[in-house]
Amino acid sequence: MGRHYDWLVVGAGFTGAVFAERVANRLGQRVLVIDRRDHVGGNAHDFRNEHGILCHRYGPHVFHTNAAAEVRYLSAFTRWRRYEHRCCAMLDGRLVPPPCNLTSLDVCFAPGRAARYARALVERFGVGTEVTVQTLCAADDGDVRDVGRFVFDAVFRRYTEKQWGRPVESLDPSVTARLPVRISHDDRYFTDRFQRMPRDGYAATFARMLSHPLIDVRLECDAAAVGTETTWERMLHTGGIDAYFGYRLGALPYRTVDFEFRTYSQPTHLPVGMVTFPDDRPYTRISEARHLTGEPGTRTTICIEHPRAHRPGLDEPCYPVPAPENHRLHDAYRQLAAAEAPGVVFAGRLGDCRYITMAQAVGRALALFSRV
Ligand code: UDP
């Protein structure tokens, strides 16, 4: 049966779900949320596998932010579990914590050399600071430069080539800046004040956000399948802006990831939540849900990530490739949207074609709601 909605929201990830929830709750307007996939939550979706273990379908998602407003907003839909993500990189058979910090130097170098490097870093940048690997590589001091080159070659080069399918030098420096070198012994993956996991998982959180009499959700449904009997005033499109226009100007380049799950008959398999492999193995990293969720059990499931090029329309666009030519193509799509689809709002990781954390997606969706 046909229905009229105030908003059609394409995509049930953070951007779409937050926006739909606000429109329904705050404005009392009717929203139809559709998603191509068979679940809400976008790439944050989690599920219980055949062993009853809560797993992240699209790789590990750890919620971290310094923004109180985003936490306040989401706390209406979930309680939280304290979790500080820790990671190890496998370097020549040794497990070294990234982001690289003074502990990593202790693991990788003989004591005298590690101490000399640590002194040079502290003298140049000060204790407790964070510096990009590019800054270290460009430093005047030879010891600081040595550390920079070591981190670049040992941690970033191979991993980044596998992850992005191109040399690290050709990517926007914002990618490697996500993992700065830390002049301290803080070996946590993130330093944000708020680092938590939704206590019952992401899928349960999304179900609560979208459970509202004014919100209808249709899964395994794209805009073409909505049907002419259903109408709407305005549209928020959080899918690919290139897909919306039928890839008319060419496909925006994304990387996708094949997620391989394996279950072992032991309580845990990895020493920490995630191990990265900056080497010639075909995968980039392995994560273990139990560390993140804190759920006990006698079996554990790990997730192995195999990145590869995204095939438009065939698989999930996971990471927009941040390089100048891709920003130009996205700008061209923006202009096309302004000319041909002025009533459609494009937003989110795919609509804006940029890497954003979950917290940023929430913040941007709340800001978008205030604007429209
Ligand atoms: N990276 C790396 N080696 C590592 C971990 C990360 O080279 O051991 C680089 C890689 O280019 C990656 C980027 O740092 O894409 C950001 O890593 P992050 O863990 O933030 O990736 P995400 O969790 O967003 O996939």
Side-chain angles (χ1 to χ4, degrees):
M1 196 189 66
R3 223 172 184 186
H4 186 72
Y5 293 92
D6 297 289
W7 282 90
L8 172 67
V9 172
V10 179
F14 268 108
T15 304
V18 169
F19 188 83
E21 184 281 330
R22 289 288 83 181
V23 165
N25 254 322
R26 279 294 161 90
L27 302 181
Q29 294 183 353
R30 196 173 278 286
V31 194
L32 174 61
V33 179
I34 62 171
D35 202 291
R36 271 186 310 110
R37 297 189 247 184
D38 61 3
H39 59 76
V40 297
N43 283 0
H45 176 68
D46 51 15
F47 66 103
R48 286 204 183 272
N49 68 8
E50 64 273 33
H51 308 287
I53 300 169
L54 186 63
C55 296
H56 291 190
R57 172 72 190 80
Y58 306 95
H61 280 69
V62 178
F63 193 86
H64 61 100
T65 184
N66 284 322
E70 282 77 328
V71 173
R72 224 175 12 252
Y73 170 79
L74 279 181
S75 299
F77 307 101
T78 186
R79 294 173 70 186
W80 301 96
R81 163 180 194 262
R82 245 172 221 285
Y83 171 70
E84 290 187 325
H85 197 41
R86 281 189 168 75
C87 174
C88 287
M90 180 71 88
L91 303 185
D92 292 331
R94 281 174 306 201
L95 289 171
V96 181
C100 277
N101 58 76
L102 299 183
T103 305
S104 320
L105 297 183
D106 292 338
V107 178
C108 293
F109 297 104
R113 200 148 155 220
R116 201 178 78 224
Y117 285 157
R119 250 190 329 270
L121 291 169
V122 168
E123 269 168 30
R124 174 69 187 79
F125 302 104
V127 177
T129 50
E130 294 192 338
V131 194
T132 67
V133 68
Q134 284 87 352
T135 304
L136 296 183
C137 290
D140 296 334
D141 183 283
D143 282 341
V144 173
R145 249 188 347 260
D146 280 355
V147 174
R149 291 217 188 95
F150 167 75
V151 173
F152 197 80
D153 288 334
V155 179
F156 282 108
R157 188 177 296 285
R158 263 316 275 142
Y159 185 102
T160 303
E161 280 168 7
K162 287 193 284 184
Q163 171 73 10
W164 298 97
R166 53 197 295 164
V168 58
E169 292 84 356
S170 72
L171 282 169
D172 196 296
S174 63
V175 174
T176 45
R178 293 217 293 272
L179 231 66
V181 173
R182 250 184 233 146
I183 322 294
S184 71
H185 287 92
D186 187 346
D187 64 351
R188 297 172 303 163
Y189 205 64
F190 307 111
T191 50
D192 292 322
R193 277 193 298 279
F194 189 87
Q195 305 186 37
R196 303 275 197 284
M197 299 295 296
R199 211 190 55 182
D200 310 319
Y202 289 99
T205 306
F206 274 82
R208 286 183 209 116
M209 282 163 78
L210 293 169
S211 162
H212 190 284
L214 292 173
I215 300 177
D216 288 337
V217 178
R218 285 193 215 166
L219 298 176
E220 297 182 274
C221 173
D222 61 19
V226 170
T228 48
E229 72 282 5
T230 300
T231 52
W232 57 88
E233 298 293 324
R234 300 193 66 187
M235 184 195 298
L236 168 66
H237 195 275
T238 71
I241 192 169
D242 53 350
Y244 179 90
F245 289 104
Y247 306 103
R248 207 194 302 169
L249 307 177
L252 285 162
Y254 283 91
R255 297 291 286 174
T256 193
V257 181
D258 290 326
F259 298 96
E260 178 194 346
F261 292 92
R262 287 189 197 164
T263 298
Y264 296 98
S265 296
Q266 57 194 96
T268 52
H269 185 71
L270 301 176
V272 285
M274 189 165 87
V275 177
T276 65
F277 296 90
D279 55 21
D280 288 332
R281 283 167 235 232
Y283 46 87
T284 46
R285 64 186 185 188
I286 303 181
S287 56
E288 183 171 13
R290 281 211 191 286
H291 287 280
L292 279 65
T293 61
E295 292 184 335
T298 53
R299 276 193 276 211
T300 189
T301 299
I302 60 164
C303 174
I304 307 171
E305 300 188 27
H306 304 261
R308 60 175 169 79
H310 164 244
R311 297 164 304 166
L314 292 177
D315 39 41
E316 295 305 331
C318 290
Y319 293 90
V321 181
E325 68 274 23
N326 303 337
H327 296 314
R328 281 194 290 276
L329 183 55
H330 182 250
D331 286 345
Y333 271 115
R334 278 273 177 210
Q335 282 165 21
L336 190 62
E340 294 188 14
V344 179
V345 180
F346 293 91
R349 182 177 46 96
L350 300 178
D352 289 335
C353 194
R354 60 185 283 180
Y355 180 89
I356 47 176
T357 64
M358 292 182 283
Q360 286 168 330
V362 172
R364 291 165 73 93
L366 293 173
L368 179 69
F369 171 72
S370 314
R371 280 203 305 279
V372 303

